[in-house]
Amino acid sequence: MSWLWAIIVGLVLGLIAKAIIPGKQQIPLWLTVIFGILGSILGNAVAAWIGVADTKGIDWIRHLLQLAGAVAVVGVGDMLWASIRGRRRTRA
């Protein structure tokens, strides 16, 4: 069941990250989910590192760090995806 939640959270965070980043991103939906999951893992790691991973009530700081991680991963991933896809088109 934890994998299902990871996919759902990855999808939600990835889509929110795509909405936050200006412009149109060229990455497909499946890659958006993967980048959202990676951003969530990155945000959780940073939250644990600074000591705010588990607090009483809702972990707002951890959730904001997860979103920031997703924005960073989606932004960098989109640039990499566009450069890889652009190279394939020029070779053909």
Side-chain angles (χ1 to χ4, degrees), residues 17-18 21-22 25-27 31 35-36 38-39 42 67-85:
K18 283 179 78 168
I21 298 171
Q25 290 75 42
Q26 302 298 321
I27 57 175
L31 202 52
F35 289 161
L38 291 174
L42 178 66
L67 180 59
V71 168
V73 173
V74 167
V76 171
D78 180 57
M79 287 188 282
L80 291 173
W81 179 260
S83 69
I84 290 169
R85 298 298 286 183

Side-chain angles (χ1 to χ4, degrees), residues 3-19:
W3 283 105
L4 179 62
W5 276 113
I7 292 169
I8 292 169
V9 168
L11 173 65
V12 170
L13 285 175
L15 291 175
I16 293 172
K18 283 179 78 168

Side-chain angles (χ1 to χ4, degrees), residues 13 34-49 62 64-74 76:
L13 285 175
I34 292 173
F35 289 161
I37 292 170
L38 291 174
S40 175
I41 292 169
L42 178 66
N44 280 336
V46 171
W49 182 63
R62 181 175 57 107
L64 289 174
L65 289 171
Q66 288 175 337
L67 180 59
V71 168
V73 173
V74 167
V76 171

